[in-house]
Amino acid sequence: MIKQGYRLMIVFCVLFQSTFAQQPDIKKVFSDAEKQSMLMINTINNKKTNRLTFPRSLDKDSLKLVPSGDWTSGFWPGILWLEYEQSQKPELKEYAETFTRLMEKEQWNTDSHDVGFKIYCSYGNALRLTGIENENYKAIIIQAAKTLCKRFNPVTGCIKSWNSTSKWKYPVIIDNMMNLELLFAATRFSNDSSFYKVAVSHANTTLKNHFRSDHSSYHVVDYDTITGNVIQKNTAQGYADESAWARGQAWGLYGFTMCYRETKNIVYLKQAEDIAAFILDNPDLPDDKIPYWDYNVPDKIQEPRDASAAAITASALYELSNYSTNKKKYREAAGKILESLTRNYRSAANTNGGFILNHSTGHKPAKSEIDVPIIYADYYYLEALLRSKKK
Ligand code: GLY
């Protein structure tokens, strides 16, 4: 009898664990995240200058603030909007609005493709969550899309990510897929199909030139602006030109999933599914589903993870699950990533300067932001949690 009770207890524990494995306690995680954000607001208020306002990471335990021109600036207002979405607390909306307004001049910033990240994570969420209340937000999104399109060249068929360097003439990075969401939104708000055409051209050119036969992607593809031909394929943030930089794979997955949502082009869905297979079936993906910073780095055990790549992947998989016949597989995979992040990669309360997750890697080759909290990991983690609630 005792033996049977013991067996039942084990069965119960296993069942409980596997159920829990798919379901972080979202209410509790968001309530903890909010407390972290309040801690961060205090630190920002004590530290900020006129120029440095947006949290990006920790540098030797000290909060690293960046100006609105930094590519990561939009994630902080985005986080506040996502926390508002969950809690509906007016004070969170006020904070979100305050930091969103500080992004306004970025609609005109032609310096890089990052205007998409900056304006869509801030104003995109603002518009989504406040709706008609703020027609002005639509105008800002449309202007930002016009700014982004200034970097499009019909000869290359894509948007130039970074300005030219001694190494690259017309560098386009896989991350740039993320900026297309702004263009699709601007098309809806303006009825101007030129944004849509630029987005589709960029996606098609990336599809053609960025991917290897195993569906992993190069980080940087450089184009000749006279012929439109590819000059070289390299990496900037990955381990090697021929390696698979972890966050790059996540940007590609998220980007092509979003392009399918916006166009219903089955080719993009297939691409997203192929990228998902590269990530999920990868023998170099650790058991806890949080990748090392690059899938091909040798001596992995010594190498840092990239929680941001995992968070972006989880969020993308939830969206992909809505369009794919592999719904169950993708939801389960996303659930495992979220469970792992929640259980083993979250900051303890009142630590890490208010960041939610730890153990991301920004730019290992440049020895920058290695195994630290980074703001975009937190953004996509919260987005993934919210997406997990929608069946
Ligand atoms: N877009 C830059 C990065 O992912 O680090």
Side-chain angles (χ1 to χ4, degrees):
M1 190 65 189
I2 292 176
K3 231 179 177 177
Q4 202 174 354
Y6 184 65
R7 267 198 213 120
L8 270 173
M9 205 169 79
I10 289 179
V11 170
F12 175 76
C13 285
V14 170
L15 275 178
F16 177 78
Q17 261 212 330
S18 62
T19 309
F20 180 78
Q22 304 303 320
Q23 296 168 348
D25 181 345
I26 294 176
K27 252 189 163 163
K28 164 91 172 80
V29 174
F30 264 91
S31 146
D32 292 350
E34 240 182 67
K35 286 181 198 139
Q36 288 295 90
S37 293
M38 293 307 117
L39 172 69
M40 191 169 276
I41 281 175
N42 277 338
T43 320
I44 293 171
N45 284 339
N46 291 331
K47 220 182 151 170
K48 74 172 193 280
T49 63
N50 278 344
R51 209 175 77 83
L52 304 175
T53 323
F54 297 90
R56 170 167 170 151
S57 181
L58 284 186
D59 189 8
K60 296 188 191 75
D61 292 335
S62 172
L63 188 64
K64 181 166 145 192
L65 294 175
V66 291
S68 65
D70 189 271
W71 82 271
T72 63
S73 56
F75 294 114
W76 171 239
I79 285 169
L80 296 166
W81 281 117
L82 296 179
E83 289 175 352
Y84 166 65
E85 182 175 2
Q86 167 70 15
S87 73
Q88 296 294 306
K89 286 186 188 160
E91 63 267 31
L92 275 166
K93 187 179 177 206
E94 264 176 51
Y95 283 129
E97 279 170 337
T98 301
F99 282 96
T100 296
R101 272 197 299 271
L102 292 172
M103 301 287 308
E104 195 167 335
K105 72 176 194 296
E106 292 311 315
Q107 66 184 302
W108 307 101
N109 188 341
T110 52
D111 269 2
S112 77
H113 66 154
D114 295 321
V115 62
F117 274 114
K118 286 184 269 191
I119 294 295
Y120 207 67
C121 295
S122 54
Y123 284 96
N125 278 308
L127 187 64
R128 186 173 64 82
L129 295 168
T130 61
I132 197 83
E133 227 178 280
N134 254 309
E135 278 296 309
N136 183 36
Y137 291 163
K138 275 188 191 169
I140 289 171
I141 287 170
I142 294 167
Q143 177 51 50
K146 285 183 188 161
T147 299
L148 182 56
C149 287
K150 290 199 174 129
R151 299 182 69 86
F152 179 76
N153 181 335
V155 178
T156 61
C158 49
I159 298 165
K160 188 179 187 182
S161 300
W162 299 326
N163 295 335
S164 311
T165 64
S166 54
K167 183 168 181 179
W168 295 305
K169 252 185 164 163
Y170 193 98
V172 178
I173 60 175
I174 187 66
D175 326 25
N176 208 334
M177 286 299 300
M178 300 295 286
N179 294 309
L180 307 185
E181 196 165 12
L182 174 81
L183 300 181
F184 288 120
T187 307
R188 279 195 302 279
F189 303 151
S190 67
N191 284 325
D192 177 351
S193 63
S194 62
F195 302 124
Y196 186 95
K197 286 179 190 150
V198 168
V200 166
S201 173
H202 185 94
N204 291 344
T205 308
T206 302
L207 191 64
K208 187 166 142 223
N209 296 324
H210 255 85
F211 288 90
R212 308 184 182 97
S213 56
D214 66 356
H215 310 294
S216 69
S217 55
Y218 288 92
H219 184 201
V220 188
V221 174
D222 190 26
Y223 290 88
D224 184 325
T225 50
I226 309 294
T227 63
N229 292 340
V230 170
I231 303 172
Q232 52 184 334
K233 300 185 181 190
N234 307 111
T235 197
Q237 281 160 265
Y239 168 68
D241 288 345
E242 288 302 326
S243 72
W245 172 52
R247 197 161 55 258
Q249 312 316 303
W251 291 141
L253 173 65
Y254 194 116
F256 278 98
T257 304
M258 174 272 296
C259 282
Y260 176 70
R261 178 220 304 152
E262 297 291 344
T263 63
K264 295 291 172 267
N265 182 344
I266 203 82
V267 174
Y268 299 153
L269 178 61
K270 165 92 171 56
Q271 185 66 18
E273 293 191 311
D274 286 340
I275 303 170
F278 175 84
I279 295 172
L280 299 177
D281 304 339
N282 200 303
D284 292 309
L285 182 67
D287 285 346
D288 75 354
K289 310 297 177 199
I290 313 302
Y292 292 95
W293 66 281
D294 190 297
Y295 285 93
N296 301 109
V297 77
D299 299 329
K300 293 208 171 36
I301 231 71
Q302 313 289 339
E303 296 289 342
R305 304 295 187 92
D306 183 12
S308 76
I312 298 159
T313 300
S315 190
L317 287 172
Y318 278 117
E319 171 150 45
L320 183 58
S321 75
N322 295 329
Y323 313 136
S324 168
T325 48
N326 293 324
K327 185 174 183 86
K328 189 164 176 283
K329 178 181 167 181
Y330 294 144
R331 280 194 71 87
E332 278 178 9
K336 278 190 189 146
I337 295 171
L338 282 189
E339 198 277 332
S340 185
L341 289 172
T342 305
R343 195 185 280 238
N344 296 320
Y345 290 77
R346 259 192 329 153
S347 316
N350 287 316
T351 68
N352 266 333
F355 288 94
I356 302 163
L357 293 180
N358 211 338
H359 306 299
S360 289
T361 296
H363 194 332
K364 177 100 192 307
K367 299 187 173 46
S368 168
E369 295 176 339
I370 300 169
D371 197 17
V372 288
I374 308 186
I375 197 77
Y376 44 86
D378 292 359
Y379 177 85
Y380 289 103
Y381 172 63
L382 295 185
E383 186 184 73
L385 286 165
L386 288 171
R387 285 181 171 185
S388 77
K389 295 201 300 182
K390 297 176 187 144
K391 294 281 177 234

